[in-house]
Amino acid sequence: MDILNQISSNPFFEISAILILAALFGAVGRLLKQPLIVAFIALGIIVGPSVLNIIHSQEKIHFLAEMGIAILLFVVGLKLDLNLIKSTGGVALSTGLGQVLFTSLFGYLISIGLGYPPIPSLYIAIALTFSSTIIIVKLLSDKKEIDALHGQIAIGFLIVQDIVVVLIMIVLSAVGRGTGAENNLTWTIIGVISKGALMVTITGLMMRFILPRLTEYLAKSSELLVLFSIAWAVALASASEMMGFSREVGAFLAGVSLASTPYREVISGRLVSLRDFLLLFFFIHLGSTLDLSLLRGQVAPSFVFSVFVLVGNPLIVMMIMGLMGYRKRTGFLAGLTVAQISEFSLIFAALGLTLGHIDEETVGLITLVGLITIGLSTYMILYSYPLFEKLAPMLSIFEKKNPFREARMLQNEEKKIDAIVFGLGRYGGSIANSLKKEGLTVMGIDFDPGSVEKWNKAGGYAQYGDLEDPELPEQLPLKHAKYLISSLPEVQANLALLKCMKNYGFNGRIILTAHNIENASLLDQEGADLILMPFADAAETVMNKLKLLEESTDSK
């Protein structure tokens, strides 16, 4: 106990102990094949007041957590193209608002059915509608799905949710003040909208006239460029909060403002490690602030609400996206991102407790639903592809006969395609261009809508697609294709493609990419016709050119 007291009395010892325990919990989590997010939230509960009670510097840890949130959303904004925001903005807004309305309605009815009074039922219903932007973005980043269509749509409606929850909290705060609330509320909302428009306008002007030149100057020193990027992210996050919005909105806007500069990849690459380190404190802070004493007596209703969030919320998103013309797979993957409640839900419940609208038992219920849904939805998102394969036959009701939103594909197989190249990055793009020079008709496939759009604008032919989509063969013109080439080195994705095409009965050659001998051997054993190893192949090409150079020199 003396050691625990000594640790808790010194912030340096305290954070050192937390980092050591985080490394230990992370290692155990990896050993048990558990998500790090779950391990870190569990660590927060253990070091919090409910168990060891060694966290006494909550303000310092909260500050580090806020920095991590700002950098996380900033990096997400860096990866978004303004053209993509235009193309996915409509579905993000419709899905975000639609999900909030439907979840609130059904959540309220369930709560009333369980015997809760109207006001607590309203709070519970609203708390169930908000999903954790921070957790979802972290999971999508780890899975490299931020640039995927479902990832961009999910980020869009999560940002919409953040804005909605802020507006609702403004309304509640104004109502809680009592007299003159309606008049104050109207002016408050007008003020927030005006300030938001002002912030967007100023940021747009910075993007147009200042940021391109400033980043070009700062890029002469990579350290200075990264420092400016962090400062810009936290500055807009702070400005957003002062204007009545959440920090997430401001940090995200800061990232978008630098997304059109040629330095966004450099900035995001440098910030990833810092982002992950600071986010550790967010998850620990989230776990440590949970009051487990409030959870007694709420197990049964929390189970009902958790099932509604885990199953009902994704179904609502799938229904809306299906009606808007998206495929069931895109709707399913995007829908999984709302299968948990947010840290905002806990803040929202705390506000209701402060205003006297709900009691501690209701706060405990929302807290327990948060623990259950965050934990289980993490697994659902991590294993989203196998989950979809099993559920796909039952999800056809959520897809129109013509999912026109994703119809950037051949309308029939009359057009002859000789080669299909997966991945239109530098390596895949070079392969596609070389095949075109040889007179082959080439079609490109990429999971990033931005890459597809750029390739089509450059005169190529490309469509959106994902190697791990079990329904991919039905979308492709495979009738005349001689070659199927994957330029992507992910071995599991390539194995999924190989299995999928074998089951479909594709008769052409399947050519896959690997970055090491072990993966190459595995792909060869599974039946790939040719394995590309970019680094080894490049070295061999260099050696052949050197030999030719020596031979030409000797002949002279």
Side-chain angles (χ1 to χ4, degrees):
M1 294 301 295
D2 291 337
I3 295 176
L4 292 179
N5 291 332
Q6 189 174 2
I7 289 173
S8 61
S9 63
N10 187 315
F12 187 83
F13 292 164
E14 183 181 330
I15 293 178
S16 298
I18 290 171
L19 291 175
I20 292 170
L21 289 172
L24 179 62
F25 270 63
V28 172
R30 290 299 298 270
L31 184 65
L32 299 175
K33 297 183 179 180
Q34 303 303 306
L36 289 179
I37 288 175
V38 175
F40 293 151
I41 293 175
L43 172 61
I45 294 173
I46 289 173
V47 299
S50 299
V51 187
L52 296 179
N53 194 28
I54 65 172
I55 292 186
H56 290 269
S57 302
Q58 282 285 6
E59 290 185 1
K60 297 179 177 65
I61 292 174
H62 189 212
F63 168 74
L64 293 172
E66 290 174 338
M67 290 289 289
I69 292 169
I71 293 175
L72 172 69
L73 272 296
F74 174 71
V75 172
V76 173
L78 276 174
K79 294 181 178 293
L80 292 187
D81 192 306
L82 285 177
N83 292 324
L84 297 176
I85 294 174
K86 292 176 184 176
S87 63
T88 60
V91 65
L93 184 62
S94 301
T95 308
L97 293 178
Q99 185 262 322
V100 167
L101 290 173
F102 278 105
T103 302
S104 299
L105 175 61
F106 289 111
Y108 181 79
L109 294 176
I110 293 171
S111 186
I112 291 291
L114 290 174
Y116 288 90
I119 296 300
S121 293
L122 184 60
Y123 268 87
I124 293 169
I126 293 174
L128 299 181
T129 63
F130 305 120
S131 307
S132 178
T133 303
I134 296 98
I135 292 175
I136 296 308
V137 169
K138 180 67 170 65
L139 288 170
L140 292 177
S141 298
D142 291 344
K143 292 186 70 179
K144 297 180 172 58
E145 293 179 5
I146 286 290
D147 294 327
L149 179 61
H150 67 271
Q152 293 177 6
I153 292 172
I155 291 167
F157 62 62
L158 288 170
I159 293 295
V160 170
Q161 285 185 2
D162 285 349
I163 295 173
V164 171
V165 71
V166 169
L167 292 176
I168 290 175
M169 291 175 74
I170 290 171
V171 171
L172 289 174
S173 298
V175 170
R177 284 194 291 267
T179 56
E182 292 184 4
N183 187 50
N184 289 336
L185 175 60
T186 302
W187 284 108
T188 300
I189 293 177
I190 292 174
V192 169
I193 293 174
S194 301
K195 291 174 183 177
L198 177 64
M199 184 172 69
V200 171
T201 302
I202 292 174
T203 305
L205 292 173
M206 292 281 289
M207 289 174 61
R208 179 68 179 84
F209 299 107
I210 298 176
L211 290 176
R213 296 177 183 177
L214 182 59
T215 52
E216 183 179 0
Y217 173 75
L218 296 174
K220 296 175 183 177
S221 168
S222 58
E223 291 86 354
L224 192 56
L225 180 64
V226 171
L227 177 60
F228 166 74
S229 302
I230 296 172
W232 180 237
V234 297
L236 256 66
S238 300
S240 177
E241 186 173 25
M242 286 190 290
M243 291 182 174
F245 296 96
S246 67
R247 298 186 188 94
E248 286 91 338
V249 173
F252 177 78
L253 187 61
V256 172
S257 68
L258 294 179
S260 57
T261 68
Y263 312 107
R264 67 175 188 173
E265 296 297 336
V266 175
I267 296 170
S268 63
R270 290 292 189 95
L271 291 181
V272 166
S273 297
L274 178 61
R275 175 202 69 187
D276 291 342
F277 173 73
L278 291 175
L279 278 178
L280 161 68
F281 293 97
F282 167 75
F283 296 117
I284 291 174
H285 176 73
L286 180 61
S288 67
T289 53
L290 296 176
D291 189 350
L292 300 185
S293 65
L294 299 176
L295 307 185
R296 288 189 293 269
Q298 302 297 331
V299 175
S302 69
F303 177 78
V304 175
F305 286 118
S306 296
V307 171
F308 171 64
V309 172
L310 291 165
V311 179
N313 276 359
L315 289 178
I316 290 169
V317 170
M318 288 188 66
M319 191 183 305
I320 296 171
M321 291 185 64
L323 291 173
M324 295 188 70
Y326 286 89
R327 292 171 54 231
K328 61 184 180 183
R329 183 176 184 272
T330 304
F332 177 80
L333 296 177
L336 288 184
T337 63
V338 295
Q340 88 290 119
I341 67 171
S342 168
E343 64 284 348
F344 267 132
S345 302
L346 305 181
I347 296 171
F348 176 71
L351 175 63
L353 181 64
T354 302
L355 296 174
H357 294 165
I358 58 176
D359 56 20
E360 290 187 349
E361 289 188 356
T362 305
V363 175
L365 170 67
I366 294 171
T367 301
L368 189 53
V369 172
L371 283 174
I372 295 171
T373 56
I374 288 172
L376 293 180
S377 67
T378 298
Y379 291 99
M380 292 167 64
I381 294 169
L382 289 176
Y383 299 103
S384 56
Y385 295 142
L387 200 57
F388 175 75
E389 286 188 37
K390 292 181 179 180
L391 298 176
M394 296 182 288
L395 301 178
S396 298
I397 59 173
F398 297 105
E399 180 177 286
K400 288 187 174 182
K401 290 183 178 180
N402 176 28
F404 58 91
R405 295 276 182 178
E406 298 181 58
R408 288 186 178 181
M409 59 185 74
L410 293 177
Q411 298 301 314
N412 52 58
E413 294 197 354
E414 295 300 319
K415 184 175 180 179
K416 181 181 177 182
I417 297 293
D418 299 311
I420 300 175
V421 178
F422 291 88
L424 294 172
R426 285 178 294 181
Y427 185 54
S430 299
I431 292 174
N433 285 323
S434 297
L435 293 172
K436 288 169 67 176
K437 289 178 182 178
E438 293 297 322
L440 275 68
T441 304
V442 181
M443 176 182 182
I445 304 291
D446 204 293
F447 85 127
D448 180 359
S451 297
V452 172
E453 188 173 353
K454 290 176 183 177
W455 189 260
N456 286 326
K457 283 183 178 179
Y461 180 74
Q463 74 175 53
Y464 172 83
D466 191 334
L467 266 69
E468 298 185 72
D469 183 354
E471 299 180 344
L472 187 61
E474 299 172 8
Q475 309 163 36
L476 300 177
L478 297 173
K479 186 176 180 180
H480 304 289
K482 300 176 183 177
Y483 307 106
L484 219 61
I485 305 171
S486 169
S487 67
L488 305 173
E490 288 82 4
V491 65
Q492 293 302 324
N494 283 325
L495 286 172
L497 176 67
L498 198 58
K499 178 183 175 182
C500 190
M501 290 302 165
K502 281 186 176 181
N503 292 338
Y504 182 78
F506 176 66
N507 296 318
R509 301 294 183 89
I510 299 178
I511 302 165
L512 306 176
T513 299
H515 278 180
N516 57 60
I517 296 174
E518 290 79 8
N519 289 345
S521 175
L522 178 59
L523 294 174
D524 184 57
Q525 290 174 13
E526 293 297 321
D529 294 294
L530 178 65
I531 309 297
L532 303 177
M533 299 186 67
F535 304 118
D537 295 343
E540 187 176 339
T541 301
V542 170
M543 290 305 300
N544 290 335
K545 288 185 176 181
L546 288 175
K547 289 178 182 178
L548 291 173
L549 179 63
E550 290 295 330
E551 290 173 1
S552 64
T553 303
D554 292 342
S555 64
K556 292 179 181 179

